[in-house]
Amino acid sequence: MKYQPGFTLIELIVAAAIIGILASIAYPNYTTMVRKGNRADATSELSSLATRLQRCYTTYSTFDPVEGRCDVIDQLKLSTGINSQAGFYVITGANFGKTTYTLTAKPVADKVQALDAECATFSLKHTGERTATNKDDNDTTAVCWK
């Protein structure tokens, strides 16, 4: 019998098994890193909205002006809120007063960030205080606001 170069079936099965094992390790790590990267969508949008709120405060001397005067506050008060730039989060506002507000970012239900159990919500207050909680409402600020 003449030698024919090529791969045996056993060699192909071993190679496929190795690729499968590597993929099963790499994919979860990849999705975790994607979620961590997408968190910047929430933090940057919260900071941007805080800047817009400051402009309203400068104009009207309150974070709770009459409806229709400050579009960003009107939108934040709605239950639908404002979608972040990349669309992974919805930002809503609460506790609007003369000198106070609280912004909260929550992941959109059908997006990849909805599976981020470590950073389920981000909050930013008028004082600049930043907080984050996981899906069990435990404080994860140090991990999430990097």
Side-chain angles (χ1 to χ4, degrees):
M1 185 180 249
K2 187 176 178 185
Y3 176 75
Q4 293 181 358
F7 297 104
T8 65
L9 182 59
I10 297 295
E11 290 171 327
L12 289 174
I13 290 172
V14 169
I18 291 172
I19 291 170
I21 291 168
L22 290 175
S24 70
I25 294 169
Y27 184 72
N29 290 332
Y30 169 75
T31 57
T32 299
M33 295 309 292
V34 167
R35 283 189 204 110
K36 285 182 180 180
N38 289 342
R39 291 174 188 163
D41 185 39
T43 58
S44 65
E45 190 68 25
L46 287 169
S47 297
S48 173
L49 288 170
T51 301
R52 291 173 63 189
L53 288 172
Q54 272 311 126
R55 282 190 227 132
C56 288
Y57 183 81
T58 302
T59 305
Y60 301 110
S61 299
T62 182
F63 288 117
D64 195 20
V66 175
E67 188 175 334
R69 289 196 172 179
C70 186
D71 187 46
V72 67
I73 293 174
D74 294 341
Q75 289 177 343
L76 287 167
K77 286 181 178 180
L78 297 174
S79 61
T80 55
I82 296 175
N83 288 330
S84 61
Q85 282 284 333
F88 295 119
Y89 292 90
V90 172
I91 294 92
T92 56
N95 304 326
F96 286 103
K98 183 161 180 60
T99 60
T100 62
Y101 67 83
T102 302
L103 300 177
T104 304
K106 293 185 180 181
V108 175
D110 60 345
K111 300 279 184 169
V112 68
Q113 287 309 106
L115 301 174
D116 189 359
E118 191 172 33
C119 300
T121 62
F122 292 85
S123 295
L124 180 63
K125 292 186 177 183
H126 64 283
T127 59
E129 178 187 355
R130 303 179 298 181
T131 58
T133 58
N134 64 11
K135 66 178 178 77
D136 298 322
D137 284 333
N138 297 319
D139 184 25
T140 55
T141 303
V143 174
C144 300
W145 280 90
K146 286 189 175 183

